[in-house]
Amino acid sequence: MGKNILFCSVGRRGDLVKDFRASLDRNSKIVATDNNSTAPGLYFADRQYIVPKINEENYVPIILEICRAEEIGAVTTLIDPEIAVLARHREKFQAMGVQVLAPYETSAALCFDKYLMYQFLNKHGILTAKTYGRMEEFQTALEKGDIQFPVFVKPRTGSGSVGARMIQCLEELKIAFRHDRSLIIQEYMTGEDLDADVYVDTISHRAVSIFTKKKLETKIGGANKTLSFKDNKLFLTIEHIVSFFEFNGPIDMDFFYRDGEYYLSEINPRFGGAYLHAYGCGVNFIKLIENNMNGIENEPVFGNYEEDVLMMMYDSVVIKKKREIKEQVEAKLWTYCI
């Protein structure tokens, strides 16, 4: 098995790639792909590839060929729609000795479809926000007094908080549904908004590392100011929830804390945008991935970080001359889609 790690659809996640580069064994490489040569995250990797979009027929064969050529030991993606692609083709990667740091198919589908996830959580007694997939279902609950305004709507299979917003009254809700029938309706959750970075061991499939933080400020796509904290009750809650799924590698979990209870909001089975906070506090998933690539099972260690450590995210840039990108595309990057 190779020692190198492949990040698919790397996009803007330059700092994550930099952290990996700093922690990986010096004999290991970071390889990154994207469908656009101006994706800044590419330029922090050791090797870069321009590939087709994830829904194109030749996408998976090309990723498999990159894995073969670059001696990849583990592959992951940084965008939600690609998670199911990797899960669906897991056996092809495994046949090459490549670990897929993404959930198995059923769990991937649950995480992508928020209404299916609600039904699954409800079935297993896991606290979560009340969720309605149809207007008729919601109106019945409204008449019974099971739900009240304001409510929150979001696309059933969306990502990055696109289309998520508060709705104040029934007429406003009806207008929203006339424009987009894919919406789901959720109770508006009050209380503290929390986030957890979790690593699920690829051998034991247990949660082995957990970093929890309070969201102090959130913009579209995720939290940009967070504060670390610890609560053994939340650690136990996360272990319990993970046991119902087939996860593999890093996951990002959102919670609300209300009336002394933790309510699961959603699970993104990939590196979360604010994993940088965990890494900055010494919670190093990179070493856990390396252990798994070497056939070593990680033992659970929770709470091995300081509380009240603040993360303040800011924007940075990559500056490249146009001709430099062109030269890199011609000399270093495999350009399949152009």
Side-chain angles (χ1 to χ4, degrees), residues 47-248:
R47 288 279 287 164
Q48 307 91 357
Y49 290 87
I50 306 302
V51 297
K53 293 183 178 180
I54 64 171
N55 57 357
E56 293 189 29
E57 187 176 343
N58 60 341
Y59 179 75
V60 171
I62 287 171
I63 296 300
L64 289 167
E65 174 58 21
I66 292 171
C67 288
R68 184 201 62 76
E70 295 290 353
E71 298 181 332
I72 298 298
V75 60
T76 192
T77 179
L78 299 180
I79 61 169
D80 293 326
E82 191 174 5
I83 292 168
V85 175
L86 294 181
R88 190 162 58 249
H89 295 279
R90 178 182 301 278
E91 291 183 2
K92 295 176 183 177
F93 288 97
Q94 288 181 331
M96 298 173 62
V98 179
Q99 292 197 32
V100 176
L101 301 178
Y104 287 76
E105 281 194 74
T106 300
S107 294
L110 286 170
C111 291
F112 195 60
D113 188 317
K114 297 176 178 62
Y115 188 59
L116 287 182
M117 173 65 91
Y118 167 74
Q119 293 176 314
F120 182 84
L121 297 176
N122 218 24
K123 175 183 176 182
H124 292 286
I126 297 169
L127 293 175
T128 190
K130 295 174 185 175
T131 302
Y132 306 90
R134 294 180 296 109
M135 176 64 77
E136 298 78 12
E137 181 187 7
F138 171 78
Q139 286 186 274
T140 299
L142 185 66
E143 291 168 3
K144 289 181 178 180
D146 293 337
I147 187 75
Q148 60 187 16
F149 287 100
V151 295
F152 209 72
V153 299
K154 61 179 71 169
R156 179 169 172 163
T157 57
S159 63
S161 302
V162 176
R165 60 198 185 277
M166 188 190 299
I167 298 289
Q168 297 286 356
C169 65
L170 186 59
E171 184 57 34
E172 187 182 353
L173 184 63
K174 288 179 178 178
I175 292 170
F177 262 75
R178 280 201 295 270
H179 286 91
D180 186 356
R181 301 292 295 179
S182 72
L183 295 175
I184 57 169
I185 309 162
Q186 293 186 323
E187 69 173 307
Y188 181 69
M189 294 295 290
T190 56
E192 282 193 292
D193 194 0
L194 312 171
D195 184 81
D197 296 295
V198 183
Y199 187 79
V200 178
D201 192 84
T202 66
I203 298 172
S204 68
H205 300 292
R206 295 185 300 165
V208 294
S209 183
I210 300 172
F211 177 83
T212 54
K213 51 194 181 290
K214 301 175 183 179
K215 299 180 185 178
L216 304 182
E217 182 177 288
T218 301
K219 294 186 177 180
I220 292 176
N224 66 318
K225 291 180 184 178
T226 53
L227 185 69
S228 63
F229 80 103
K230 298 186 237 185
D231 184 353
N232 193 55
K233 180 177 180 178
L234 180 53
F235 294 159
L236 292 172
T237 298
I238 290 169
E239 284 189 280
H240 176 68
I241 292 170
V242 166
S243 70
F244 289 100
F245 294 87
E246 290 183 297
F247 291 131
N248 214 48

